[in-house]
Amino acid sequence: MAIALTIMVGVIIGLINGMIIAGFRMMPFIVTLGMMGVARGTAKWLAGNQTVNAPKSSINNLMDMLDPLHFFPLPLGVWMTIALAVIMAVVVQQTIFGRYLFAIGSNEATARLCGIRVGPMKVAIYALAGLFFGLSGLMQMSRLAVGDPTVAIGLELDIIAAVVIGGASLNGGTGSISGSIIGALVMAVLRSGSSQMNWPNFVQEIIIGIVIILAVGLDKFRQRKAAL
Amino acid sequence: MGRLLDAVGPVFGLALVIGLFSLSPTVRAHFFTGINCKIILLQTVIVAIGALGMTMIIITVTRPPWPSH
């Protein structure tokens, strides 16, 4: 019940985002940034500005290390991520839905003239993305074993960096699921390596900030090269 | 050629980051152990699932949220 509700909240917020972006043709960056503030504020309000202790349940097993001394067995959350990545890679690369994604990203006006219903597609995309963000929140809750409305501040930048490192362009029209997963691995290796080097938290933040700027700069360089 | 570079680029980036951290003998000693790899995979889960949704959104973004030159 809690699992379904958490994911549904993600889908509903995604639906609202999609409807505002598609309906009013507003900038996705501003709408989603505003919605992040609304969602975090609401979470703090509902939680009474403190962590929520949930009774131990099957949710805690998702990110459980299981055997902490050996590589196998891997946590259930890792297997779920691999399965979802394979499914999404097929959806993005091999289905009509995936083709529509690239068509809208390459040129929205042309996509509309080709008969793609861009508005409903955007709503569907944001709702589906919301499903993943809800699931991601569930994994966060599983890892912490408590619900914390102030956790994961700045995680959105890690996610954007992972996607850009994975080869997606902030101008749209390019990107891959496999690249984004490798980008997420890069971010995790950066954080893990920084911790093992005993670098303080602020050094990690500086490094990750630089990596994000470098990744976007590289994207810009690729775009310019492609335009020549 | 460009497509090949796009595909290999992220892997190269990952290898570069791992390589840089491996330069430190203290980190290298347990960076490649199974348990550390398991922890890294576990830490990847939250960002990776979010990145699945974000990939779709970024592919469809047609106008950057800041002026482009």
Side-chain angles (χ1 to χ4, degrees), chain A residues 29 63 65 67-68 70-71 73 75 78 81 84 88 101-102 104-105 108 125-126 128-129 132-133 136 140 143 155 159 163 165-166 169-174 177 180-182 184-186 188-190 192-194 196-197 199 220 222, chain B residues 3 5-7 9-11 13-14 17-18 20-21 24 26-28 30-31 33-69:
Chain A
F29 181 71
M63 296 288 273
M65 281 282 279
D67 180 357
H70 298 97
F71 186 70
V78 174
T81 308
L84 285 171
M88 282 310 294
L101 290 180
F102 288 101
I104 293 171
E108 191 176 320
I125 290 161
Y126 280 88
L128 185 58
F132 287 113
F133 301 144
S136 189
Q140 180 78 62
R143 191 159 168 229
L155 195 74
I159 295 175
V163 177
I165 290 169
S169 165
L170 289 175
N171 286 322
T174 57
I177 295 293
S180 298
I181 296 294
I182 295 170
L185 269 170
V186 170
V189 169
L190 270 175
S192 173
S194 301
Q196 287 177 36
M197 294 286 274
W199 288 341
K220 206 81 185 156
R222 274 197 316 236
Chain B
R3 284 176 73 97
L5 271 178
D6 281 349
V11 181
L14 180 61
V17 173
I18 293 173
L20 284 175
F21 281 118
S24 161
T26 48
V27 172
R28 193 170 50 228
H30 61 279
F31 200 75
T33 57
I35 188 64
N36 191 51
C37 292
K38 188 175 185 173
I39 291 168
I40 288 175
L41 283 180
L42 199 65
Q43 287 173 339
T44 308
V45 167
I46 296 165
V47 173
I49 293 180
L52 295 179
M54 191 63 86
T55 306
M56 285 192 304
I57 290 177
I58 289 185
I59 289 173
T60 52
V61 166
T62 44
R63 191 171 51 171
W66 43 82
S68 179
H69 298 289

Side-chain angles (χ1 to χ4, degrees), chain A residues 80-93:
Chain A
M80 281 176 67
T81 308
I82 294 169
L84 285 171
V86 171
I87 292 168
M88 282 310 294
V90 172
V91 167
V92 168
Q93 297 295 335

Side-chain angles (χ1 to χ4, degrees), chain A:
Chain A
M1 180 71 177
I3 294 174
L5 267 177
T6 311
I7 295 172
M8 274 313 291
V9 168
V11 173
I12 290 167
I13 291 178
L15 262 176
I16 297 170
N17 276 337
M19 285 194 280
I20 295 172
I21 291 163
F24 298 101
R25 300 208 176 171
M26 285 174 73
M27 260 187 220
F29 181 71
I30 301 300
V31 174
T32 50
L33 192 68
M35 184 57 81
M36 184 174 72
V38 172
R40 193 177 287 281
T42 309
K44 283 180 184 172
W45 171 46
L46 292 174
N49 242 333
Q50 53 195 339
T51 56
V52 178
N53 292 306
K56 200 163 169 52
S57 65
S58 56
I59 296 175
N60 300 100
N61 299 336
L62 290 172
M63 296 288 273
D64 190 4
M65 281 282 279
L66 302 173
D67 180 357
L69 297 174
H70 298 97
F71 186 70
F72 287 110
L74 286 171
L76 188 60
V78 174
W79 291 117
M80 281 176 67
T81 308
I82 294 169
L84 285 171
V86 171
I87 292 168
M88 282 310 294
V90 172
V91 167
V92 168
Q93 297 295 335
Q94 307 290 337
T95 64
I96 295 172
F97 178 82
R99 291 291 98 195
Y100 283 3
L101 290 180
F102 288 101
I104 293 171
S106 300
N107 192 323
E108 191 176 320
T110 310
R112 192 173 280 116
L113 289 171
C114 289
I116 297 172
R117 297 175 67 207
V118 174
M121 264 296 289
K122 279 193 175 175
V123 176
I125 290 161
Y126 280 88
L128 185 58
L131 184 145
F132 287 113
F133 301 144
L135 189 60
S136 189
L138 193 75
M139 295 294 180
Q140 180 78 62
M141 195 263 167
S142 168
R143 191 159 168 229
L144 288 179
V146 289
D148 185 353
T150 59
V151 81
I153 290 174
L155 195 74
E156 67 281 0
L157 277 181
D158 277 29
I159 295 175
I160 292 171
V163 177
V164 175
I165 290 169
S169 165
L170 289 175
N171 286 322
T174 57
S176 72
I177 295 293
S178 57
S180 298
I181 296 294
I182 295 170
L185 269 170
V186 170
M187 298 308 285
V189 169
L190 270 175
R191 288 206 183 273
S192 173
S194 301
S195 301
Q196 287 177 36
M197 294 286 274
N198 282 325
W199 288 341
N201 206 36
F202 65 84
V203 177
Q204 288 185 37
E205 285 173 13
I206 292 170
I207 290 174
I208 288 168
I210 291 171
V211 167
I212 292 170
I213 295 171
L214 280 178
V216 175
L218 197 67
D219 166 46
K220 206 81 185 156
F221 176 72
R222 274 197 316 236
Q223 296 295 320
R224 268 195 202 155
K225 230 178 147 188
L228 288 176

